[in-house]
Structure formats: structure tokens, C-alpha cells
Amino acid sequence: MALPIINSIASWFLKQRIHQIELFLKYPNEVQEELLMNLIRSSENTIIGKQYGFDSMKSYNAFQDRIPISTYEDLEPLIEKTRKGEQQVFWHEPIKWFAKSSGTTNAKSKFIPVSNSALEDCHYKGSKDLLCLYLNNNENSQLFTGKSLRLGGSKQLYEDNNTFFGDLSAILIDNMPFWAEFSSTPCNKTSLMSEWETKLLAIVNETKIENVTSFAGVPSWMMVLLNKVLEETGKNNLFEIWPNLEVYFHGGVSFDPYREQYKKILPKQDFKYYEIYNASEGFFAIQDLNNSNDLLLMLDYGIFYEFIPMDVFGTPNEKIIRLAEVEINKNYAIVITTNSGLWRYLIGDTVRFTSLNPYRIRITGRTKHHINVFGEELMVENTDMAIAKTCKITNTEVKDYTVAPIFMEGKEKGSHEWIIEFRKQPDNIAFFTKTLDENIQALNSDYEAKRYNNMTLNQLTINVARENLFYDWLKNQDKLGGQHKIPRLSNKRDYLEELLSL
């Protein structure tokens, strides 16, 4: 069958989903309430269901009153029961897949349950919806005349007690329908290679001869791969290798610090960037418009959402609200109840709503990844945007960074200490430092107030990292490639001190 015909059929098939998306856009809160009741009804006979009386739970208020907010540590004993083969613990379906994740802040492995429902109705549905929304916005797309270059995790699946664990991407690839592999590159065997540096070369050699029309992966690691492709081929930009490239689907870390770097190796005005928000726990949101920074919250993936306002998070006044109660431009911690049996689970991410009709969000950081030592309430969204603006002003490029507080000592005021690894260094580091500090003040009024006349905070300081410092730090922790991320902000100095010692 000719490629244009395949492209037309695939596009038509994927766009049929638009009508269902329009339903939750029109009735968002009703869809969420019905979804919650379905999750409760389906799990009445599980250990969790009997513990909290799911059989008599008829409303959101009862759900909120009876079930406490949980973290991974709270759920770990029940997850371990399931990993050892016991079923009907927290979800009515057999759970045999576990997405192994260390997170960004915790060296201890987490094993996030992944049910068949979550695979089909959340993760794969999200991937198809991403294509659906993109194709709906770009009628002339030729996406399926070529292949998608995907960059996932670097771990094979492992078996234990008839259950399987590995990176989420390994689980998804292992269960992937045949048509998805047909339209992807590299092959599954290469995608799942465990040694990052060997895998990198294998991907370059396999993909440089393909007709690649799209990319999918985390911006930081994808940039490493694409620069390697250019180095190995001797080309100046990626269109010289893949002339039919049209879109990059990205997620995992903020794109802001990398945007200008991508524009240099993808020098076409009409090249598209589409962001997604997914994790081991679920697929949550998708950019639904061209040239947008906002993500549409997907409300029919078997995930019920609640939110904790960050201004009361972790305080005696902490409160949990449902979707219908959120406000624009407030930071919230996300709480999810899922079709893998995570009940009122604090995922650790923070978002703010940019629209309530429909519900659109931007990811602002992590509950553990912000700095509020001096009342500055600094979020990753602030520092990522400030870095992007500063790089543009100073004609520099940043590969990675992390920030920690310098605590007050005696009469000495506090400040923020940065380590930045540059791809292209500033001509004047003092000007870069001053500009970055001013850009953060412009983006964050709390930080600005603390910096006013050096009242509480002195100007930030920057350590210029040696080449590959962050890469070596990740390598020492066996965290190269895939979904692993540099912790951007911390209220403690642990990460910064480790990096300074390398």
C-alpha cells in the first residue's frame, strides 16, 4: 500500500476520537464525577475497597472523608504484596506490570503498578490522542509517510514472582501493538539496550538512514542524541539528514531552556513542537493547539484529579479540592486516583491552570523541587523561564543547572547558589549573573520582595560547571538516558555539594 494512502487512513482513524474529546470538554466535571464512581464500584471487593467501605461510598464527599491522601511510602506495603503475587489488593484486575522509577529525589526504587486498563485506556490512549490532536490541527501532515524517532528508557524488563518491572517505556514497548513498532525507529531491541553510550551509537546508526518525520522523547537526552547524529554525519542541521521532519513530541522536563538550541538544529519556521505530560503513574495532559505552551488536561483516561493549593501545602491549613474548584494562575500539588489502584496518591508534581474552559495547565515543578527557605516560593517554572530569557539576552546556551540555598549565618544574609553547565558560555559571567537575577525577580514577586535592597537575599551566585559534570554525576548513579532528570531546585544543599565535589 502506498505511503500517502497509509498516511490518509491512519490520520482518518486517529481523528475519529475528536468527538469523544469534545464530550469531556463540554461536561468536564460530570465526566470526572462519573469516572470516580466507576473506579470505586469496580474495586469494592479489593482489600482497599473493603477497608474503606467502597460498597457504601456514594459521593465525592464520602470518598474525601474516608480515604486519606497517600504517598508512595504509604502504599509500599500493599504494592509489595502485589509484587509477590497477591491480587485484589488495591485494584480489581490482576497487576503484573510495575514501572520502576527512582523519581528525581529518591535513590530508593519505586514500583508503580500498571494495570491492563492503564495501559490501554491511559498510556496508549494518550499516545493516540496526541497524534489525533496534532493531525486535527495540521490537516496537511505527512507524519505516517515516515517514522517516529523515539528515545525511551534504557532498562530491559525483569521478572520476579510472575510480575515484571522496568522503565515505563520498556513496559509500553513490550506491549506495543505491531503497527506502532512499524511506524517507529529504532527497533525494540535497540530501544531497550541498557548501556546508554552503546545504545546512543546504535540509535544513530539505525536511524540516520530512515525517513524520520517526528521525534519523541525528553528534551535534554534527545538533544544529546541529535547532536551525536550531526557529529556522526557531518551535517549542519537535521533537515539535511531527515528532510521530511515536521514535529517534535516532548515531555519530562521543561522545554524553555532548550527551545533556542532546538531552533538552531531545526531551522524551519513551520517546524512544530508538541508537549505532553505523562509519568509512570499515568498520562495526564497534551498540548492541543499549535504554538502553545498550555496542556489540555485529559479527563477520561481513568484518572480522577484533586488538587492541594501550594500556599497551604504541608501546613495545618492544608485543603484538598476537586477540579471544579480550581482557580487560574494558582500553584497546585496534584492528587490522583487511577485505574491502576492508586487512591488519592500525591504524585509530587505541581501545576497551575491557565484556562478553566477547557481545563488547561502548565507544569510548574515538583512539591520537593522548589526553594522556600526565605519565603521566596521559587518554582522550577520561574528558573526555567529566567534561564531561557537570560540566554537569549546574552547569546548563551545552558545544558543543565541546579540551585540550592546559601543559608543565613550570623549577620550574613542568605542567597541562592547555582551550578550551571553551559553549552555556549557567556562572554561576561557577571552580566549573565545580574541578568538572571533580574529575570527571576521579574517572574516571581516573592523573590523580588526578598531581593529588594538585599533585604533578605543577596544576589545569586553562579558556579560554572566543567564540561559533562551533570552527565558524570548521573553516570555515577546509573541514571543515564531515558526519563532521568537533573534536580533543578532544592531546599537542601545535598545535590549541589555532591556536584561541587566531582
Side-chain angles (χ1 to χ4, degrees), residues 30-67:
E30 291 84 350
V31 166
Q32 278 278 284
E33 296 288 323
E34 182 180 354
L35 187 154
L36 175 63
M37 289 301 117
N38 288 338
L39 292 174
I40 291 168
R41 293 287 80 79
S42 65
S43 295
E44 288 178 1
N45 294 319
T46 62
I47 290 175
I48 283 276
K50 291 173 180 175
Q51 179 182 350
Y52 293 114
F54 280 12
D55 59 347
S56 63
M57 199 176 282
K58 308 296 183 189
S59 68
Y60 171 72
N61 288 338
F63 171 78
Q64 188 181 44
D65 289 343
R66 293 187 204 175
I67 304 179

Side-chain angles (χ1 to χ4, degrees), residues 132-202:
C132 165
L133 290 164
Y134 173 74
L135 293 167
N136 194 59
N137 292 332
N138 299 279
E139 293 288 339
N140 297 320
S141 169
Q142 296 297 304
L143 202 62
F144 292 104
T145 60
K147 294 191 174 184
S148 176
L149 196 170
R150 65 187 180 198
L151 183 60
S154 304
K155 301 293 183 186
Q156 303 261 5
L157 286 174
Y158 300 92
E159 185 176 358
D160 186 24
N161 295 310
N162 292 316
T163 63
F164 300 85
F165 64 90
D167 282 5
L168 174 66
S169 55
I171 294 171
L172 296 177
I173 288 169
D174 198 66
N175 289 278
M176 190 178 284
F178 77 93
W179 58 265
E181 182 174 4
F182 173 76
S183 62
S184 302
T185 187
C187 67
N188 287 358
K189 183 178 178 182
T190 303
S191 292
L192 294 173
M193 289 174 69
S194 56
E195 207 282 307
W196 165 253
E197 285 157 341
T198 306
K199 171 179 172 174
L200 191 63
L201 277 175

Side-chain angles (χ1 to χ4, degrees), residues 378 382 386 434-454 457-460:
L378 191 65
N382 303 146
K434 181 174 180 292
T435 305
L436 179 60
D437 192 79
E438 289 170 352
N439 280 328
I440 297 172
Q441 291 184 55
L443 290 163
N444 183 309
S445 58
D446 291 318
Y447 182 83
E448 181 184 36
K450 301 300 180 289
R451 283 283 296 115
Y452 181 71
N453 287 336
N454 295 344
L457 290 174
N458 288 324
Q459 179 177 284
L460 62 86

Side-chain angles (χ1 to χ4, degrees), residues 280-300:
S280 299
E281 294 86 352
F283 203 123
F284 307 125
I286 301 171
Q287 179 182 327
D288 65 318
L289 300 170
N290 287 340
N291 306 313
S292 173
N293 292 320
D294 300 337
L295 308 182
L296 180 68
L297 194 63
M298 307 303 284
L299 303 178
D300 63 349

